[in-house]
Amino acid sequence: MVKKSDSFFIRQTLNADNDNTYQQIPLDLGAYVDALGKSVLRIHNIAVTFSDPNGKALEVTPVAAAAAQFQLVTQSQTDIVFSSNRAVISSGKLYGFNADSVDSYPQVSHDTDVLPQMWTNGYLVAVDAIYLGGQASGNWTSDVYMSITLECTVETMSEASAMALALSQQGA
């Protein structure tokens, strides 16, 4: 029988800059995950916000397009990876276009990756750290911040199952 905690939230913000270089920060899950102790994390929902350094709406430079993307992964990465990579928990992209001749709030689209982050039974994690990574193009008028909120529960499973899951989420 699976024991489950009440849900709680884990939050993190990444400054992805605006120079098209990959940035990444770890989210320490050591307080929740212990595969040998049979404790794993279940992520039920993920909410992501793209904003300027003050948490406000992003602007795009005149007559330009801009893009920003994030990924939440179980292994450290050096760049954005395909969603089919087994380390990927979640990913998303945001595109903006400013047709005006002054800095302006862009027309925004996320149609190529609609940020679906809800799973019927959640996403089990058995590693002690996950990584929020992202990058943003240079036509945003400021650095791009990606804030993520995870709704989670802690569950127990057999040691063998927890270790197998942990091993499947580590390494190349």
Side-chain angles (χ1 to χ4, degrees), residues 49-59 105 142-145 147:
T49 303
F50 292 85
S51 68
D52 75 1
N54 300 307
K56 297 178 180 176
L58 290 163
E59 293 185 31
Y105 298 107
S142 67
D143 284 353
V144 176
Y145 284 72
S147 297

Side-chain angles (χ1 to χ4, degrees), residues 17 36 42 52 77 82 98 101 126 158:
D17 295 326
L36 289 174
R42 185 179 299 270
D52 75 1
Q77 304 295 326
F82 286 108
N98 176 4
S101 59
S158 73

Side-chain angles (χ1 to χ4, degrees), residues 5-172:
S5 70
D6 290 333
S7 67
F8 58 93
F9 298 92
I10 298 173
R11 294 175 169 83
Q12 185 62 268
T13 298
L14 169 72
N15 177 1
D17 295 326
N18 65 349
D19 60 3
N20 214 28
T21 59
Y22 183 74
Q23 307 294 327
Q24 177 180 277
I25 54 175
L27 285 81
D28 181 9
L29 302 180
Y32 316 108
V33 174
D34 180 5
L36 289 174
K38 308 175 197 174
S39 179
V40 296
L41 184 79
R42 185 179 299 270
I43 302 171
H44 297 276
N45 297 299
I46 297 177
V48 179
T49 303
F50 292 85
S51 68
D52 75 1
N54 300 307
K56 297 178 180 176
L58 290 163
E59 293 185 31
V60 174
T61 58
V63 193
Q69 56 190 343
F70 85 95
Q71 63 188 14
L72 185 65
V73 292
T74 60
Q75 302 168 29
S76 180
Q77 304 295 326
T78 57
D79 204 347
I80 297 291
V81 296
F82 286 108
S83 293
S84 58
N85 184 301
R86 71 179 181 173
V88 174
I89 297 170
S90 180
S91 67
K93 296 176 185 69
L94 177 73
Y95 297 97
F97 176 73
N98 176 4
D100 296 333
S101 59
V102 295
D103 288 353
S104 177
Y105 298 107
Q107 297 174 353
V108 175
S109 172
H110 62 277
D111 290 340
T112 60
D113 189 344
V114 295
L115 309 173
Q117 315 310 326
M118 297 166 122
W119 302 280
T120 301
N121 293 315
Y123 191 100
L124 285 175
V125 177
V127 292
D128 59 3
I130 56 178
Y131 302 86
L132 175 60
Q135 66 186 59
S137 65
N139 288 330
W140 300 104
T141 60
S142 67
D143 284 353
V144 176
Y145 284 72
M146 300 162 184
S147 297
I148 191 166
T149 302
L150 311 173
E151 180 187 11
C152 306
T153 55
V154 173
E155 301 180 14
T156 54
M157 58 184 354
S158 73
E159 182 179 336
S161 295
M163 285 305 298
L165 179 60
L167 291 172
S168 75
Q169 293 178 337
Q170 294 175 351

